Amino acid sequence: SYEINCILMLINSINTGVDRSYLNDLPGYVIKHTKLDLLELSRANDFAELMALLRGTKYHKPLVRVPLSEDGTVDYTECEVRLRTQYYTNLIAEAKKSFLGSQSDEVGRMVKADLDFRNMINAYRMKAFYGFTAEQIKKHQIKIPKVGKKLDTYYELESPEQMLEWLSKNVLQTEVTDDAAVELNIQREKFRKLGHRIYRSFNAPVVLYAFMELCEYETANITHIIEGIRYGIGPSYIENNILIC
């Protein structure tokens, strides 16, 4: 996942023509924990050079099929969809390979739930901010076999307001009525379910997976708090926008 985020940062840097901005945002601690040479990737000046540097890695095959625009840029969203589709597909396959019975099933359900939450957020953004049609939304969702079909009704809703109503009734524990709250409340629901797994599951791999996901939220909370203090945001606003038990 870290590698995917780094590649996407680089693609965005190439698309916007901001020379080496990728290096400014690159988390230094990631470098020693990845098989990719992230510093070498930063030498890519265009998408073709990036593909040459990624040749031989698992990221080359999904990205090399993304068409170039006339100005030399690529569709960032399509790149993200392709990379994350591969990630979730491999994650579920690895769970089936590494675990048996209820362990495999429960880890698989967690991964699929995570994918559904991500697709819900992305679909709402596409409808609310870009006016995408249902077909456009479906095209840009992360799709793997037997996952996400139940969201077709959600994608086909005609307005952002109807999407908020659907989320409030079918997913969230509270009513959501504005853009600013939708993503936060979806993340809170995911956070709640992860905590539930920690307390209720008897499968060690499930508890470990949930714990690692909760650690990601804790890291994000610390980042939000630091940024809030830096920009002079009030404590009450910061508290309302972080995820806590």
Side-chain angles (χ1 to χ4, degrees), residues 5-243:
N5 290 338
C6 290
I7 292 172
L8 290 172
M9 284 195 298
L10 180 53
I11 291 172
N12 186 58
S13 180
I14 291 172
N15 275 350
T16 56
V18 182
D19 187 37
R20 297 294 187 267
S21 67
Y22 159 82
L23 291 176
N24 297 331
D25 297 323
L26 180 64
Y29 66 87
V30 173
I31 295 175
K32 62 181 180 181
H33 296 295
T34 176
K35 296 179 181 179
L36 290 179
D37 189 338
L38 298 176
L39 295 179
E40 181 66 19
L41 290 181
S42 72
R43 300 179 183 277
N45 293 307
D46 55 40
F47 194 70
E49 289 184 12
L50 176 61
M51 288 300 93
L53 292 169
L54 286 174
R55 191 178 301 278
T57 73
K58 60 185 177 182
Y59 304 111
H60 182 268
K61 184 176 180 179
L63 288 179
V64 75
R65 301 173 183 173
V66 180
L68 281 173
S69 301
E70 292 183 2
D71 59 2
T73 62
V74 290
D75 186 326
Y76 177 92
T77 301
E78 183 169 353
C79 291
E80 181 176 14
V81 167
R82 287 175 179 268
L83 288 174
R84 297 204 186 280
T85 297
Q86 180 193 62
Y87 170 76
Y88 281 107
T89 301
N90 291 344
L91 199 57
I92 291 175
E94 187 61 34
K96 290 181 179 179
K97 177 182 176 181
S98 301
F99 310 121
L100 299 175
S102 63
Q103 288 186 343
S104 175
D105 292 341
E106 197 169 356
V107 171
R109 286 197 297 271
M110 291 179 69
V111 174
K112 292 172 184 177
D114 183 30
L115 176 54
D116 279 345
F117 283 131
R118 183 182 292 274
N119 280 338
M120 288 175 200
I121 292 172
N122 289 343
Y124 180 78
R125 288 175 180 167
M126 292 172 191
K127 175 66 72 174
F129 304 130
Y130 303 104
F132 275 26
T133 65
E135 290 307 312
Q136 288 174 312
I137 290 174
K138 291 177 184 179
K139 179 181 177 182
H140 287 87
Q141 294 307 292
I142 303 166
K143 298 180 287 290
I144 58 177
K146 300 180 181 180
V147 178
K149 281 293 183 182
K150 64 182 181 181
L151 293 181
D152 282 352
T153 300
Y154 172 64
Y155 300 151
E156 291 166 2
L157 294 172
E158 296 182 357
S159 69
E161 291 76 20
Q162 290 177 337
M163 282 185 156
L164 292 179
E165 183 179 356
W166 187 93
L167 289 170
S168 298
K169 290 181 178 179
N170 297 281
V171 179
L172 306 176
Q173 303 297 307
T174 185
E175 183 178 2
V176 181
T177 58
D178 61 83
D179 296 339
V182 60
E183 182 168 347
L184 179 62
N185 278 280
I186 289 176
Q187 295 290 8
R188 280 179 174 159
E189 178 62 14
K190 178 184 173 183
F191 184 88
R192 186 188 69 80
K193 287 183 178 296
L194 289 170
H196 181 82
R197 297 281 186 182
I198 290 276
Y199 286 110
R200 297 298 180 89
S201 179
F202 293 98
N203 293 319
V206 172
V207 173
L208 179 60
Y209 184 92
F211 175 74
M212 292 175 65
E213 288 287 296
L214 289 174
C215 286
E216 290 289 326
Y217 278 120
E218 188 170 88
T219 302
N221 281 342
I222 294 171
T223 302
H224 291 326
I225 291 169
I226 292 172
E227 290 178 343
I229 293 172
R230 177 183 180 185
Y231 293 109
I233 298 173
S236 60
Y237 182 86
I238 295 174
E239 185 175 353
N240 288 333
N241 285 275
I242 60 175
L243 297 165

